[in-house]
Amino acid sequence: MQRRQFVSALLALGAMPLAAGAQPSFSSKPIRIMVPFGPGGVADLTVRIVAQKMTELLGGQPIIVDNKPGAGGVVAAEQVVRAAPDGLTLLLMSNANAVAEGLFKSLSYNAAKDFAPISTLGYFDLAVLVPQDSPIRSLQDLVAQAKARPGKLNIGTINMGSTQHLAAELLKTTLGIDVQIVPFNGSPAVLNALRGKQVDAAVEILAPVMAQVSSKVLRALAVMGDKRAAGLPQVPTVAESDAAAKGFSVASWNALAAPAKTPQAVIARLSQAANAALALPDVKQRLQDLGVEARGSTAEQQAALLNSEIQRWGAVIQRAGIPKQ
């Protein structure tokens, strides 16, 4: 089936209700989801879980996850921008795409204009972490020590310009503390430095470190989202921990997007399938086990999120004086 036939079939299918059972495949060509991360990570596993269910909900439509890491998500994004707007090539978008708008001097695309958002897929909690035997027992302790010793405490994160790095910069500004943000080349290096007491604390996505928190190698002082993490209900949010942080909320997220000019009915059908997949109890549980909150959206809600994140992180980058790449 040619691309034009696929679009016509998908438009027609958009008028049909979702069915739990398999329907005849309406395209011999697979949908390809370009993932800007390597295989095996939480984001990669998230999209594979959702894609499998979308295949069933779209009547057996093949969906291939194609890992295209590199340049902070730019490599994958450029491939999708250049693809035909027919619903057969999608991007696993994330807040890294919003950050890139303020971090790079120039991009070959505009994240807000050159993509058609489909739906969010999941949100990933970030946490403020210390070694289990650290004298810092709470976020209040961290703030007190930072104010008692300005410029002496170090908070480790991954690469400059990453969500973790910018979240730490935003936390520093919000709490009014003078600490050094120390970027490392990847999560393993951050965690090694934290366990080795080379940094006093770290900001990291919670999912990959959940086992170390559960086994009491690390302690989570606070999570950075707008509510407590399902897997750590005893750990407060940043907003709960300090009056200066009222309303503070940072989470990493991912979503599906297509090239701009993809027909709206195609976007609606894909959004419908993604949201139906995310609503399934087994999908919710599998994602929760990964430390991911399954949360879909309309295309319009995803567009609003992307625009707000572009503005937010652009301001953080400018305020922190992070040089553009």
Side-chain angles (χ1 to χ4, degrees), residues 44-265:
D44 174 69
L45 294 174
T46 296
V47 73
R48 290 179 187 276
I49 290 168
V50 177
Q52 180 183 14
K53 294 297 183 179
M54 286 180 67
T55 287
E56 298 170 11
L57 292 164
L58 291 170
Q61 169 63 35
I63 300 178
I64 295 173
V65 175
D66 197 348
N67 298 94
K68 296 289 182 181
V74 172
V75 172
E78 287 182 336
Q79 288 205 342
V80 176
V81 164
R82 293 194 296 264
D86 54 14
L88 285 173
T89 306
L90 308 180
L91 174 67
L92 182 70
M93 183 174 276
S94 74
N95 42 310
N97 295 103
V99 169
E101 292 295 314
L103 190 61
F104 290 92
K105 293 178 181 178
S106 63
L107 291 169
S108 60
Y109 58 85
N110 182 297
K113 296 179 180 179
D114 293 331
F115 295 100
I118 294 171
S119 171
T120 54
L121 297 183
Y123 284 72
F124 308 74
D125 274 311
L126 283 81
V128 184
L129 304 160
V130 294
Q132 181 66 28
D133 60 354
S134 170
I136 300 172
R137 311 291 294 182
S138 65
L139 191 65
Q140 295 96 320
D141 286 349
L142 179 67
V143 171
Q145 289 205 26
K147 290 185 175 179
R149 298 187 292 141
K152 299 298 183 183
L153 263 63
N154 297 319
I155 297 179
T157 72
I158 67 168
N159 312 59
M160 185 176 290
S162 66
T163 299
Q164 293 93 315
H165 177 246
L166 296 180
E169 291 284 359
L170 184 60
L171 183 71
K172 171 182 173 179
T173 302
T174 301
L175 297 177
I177 54 177
D178 180 6
V179 296
Q180 300 298 316
I181 309 299
V182 184
F184 290 83
N185 187 21
S187 295
V190 175
L191 298 177
N192 284 338
L194 183 61
R195 291 190 297 263
K197 311 289 180 63
Q198 295 169 338
V199 293
D200 301 288
V203 170
E204 182 54 278
I205 290 175
L206 183 57
V209 301
M210 184 70 83
Q212 295 183 58
V213 174
S214 299
S215 62
K216 299 190 183 304
V217 174
L218 301 176
R219 180 188 299 113
L221 302 181
V223 293
M224 305 183 86
D226 57 2
K227 60 185 176 181
R228 297 191 180 197
L232 292 174
Q234 75 281 11
V235 177
T237 65
V238 169
E240 289 176 311
S241 301
D242 194 295
K246 183 179 179 180
F248 183 96
S249 178
V250 176
S252 184
W253 52 266
N254 58 31
L256 289 178
K261 299 183 180 180
T262 299
Q264 285 302 307

